[in-house]
Amino acid sequence: MTINIGTPERLIRLALGVVLLITAFMAGLSLVWSWLLGIVGVVLIATGTLRFCPAWAIFGINTDRGSK
């Protein structure tokens, strides 16, 4: 698993993931929307933490400046 997420993108993913999780639990949305936001939030936090995005790997995208 090669790092393909740079620091700015990592911070954005982590922040957005936390916001989505908080929204999923606190906003009083329907069950479907809460689950959807929760799943997307967890995926963003996981990819930000691991610094690897499978979709970026498939498309050959690399935003990490240090691994070029």
Side-chain angles (χ1 to χ4, degrees):
M1 202 164 44
T2 304
I3 293 173
N4 63 0
I5 294 177
T7 302
E9 183 181 357
R10 178 184 188 199
L11 295 175
I12 291 169
R13 284 176 182 256
L14 290 172
L16 187 57
V18 169
V19 168
L20 289 177
L21 279 180
I22 290 171
T23 303
F25 287 110
M26 301 294 195
L29 299 170
S30 70
L31 188 60
V32 173
W33 282 109
S34 292
W35 272 98
L36 183 65
L37 290 178
I39 290 169
V40 172
V42 167
V43 168
L44 286 174
I45 291 172
T47 57
T49 302
L50 297 174
R51 299 186 68 187
F52 175 76
C53 177
W56 275 192
I58 290 170
F59 293 113
I61 299 170
N62 186 346
T63 61
D64 183 34
R65 294 181 184 172
S67 65
K68 292 190 181 201

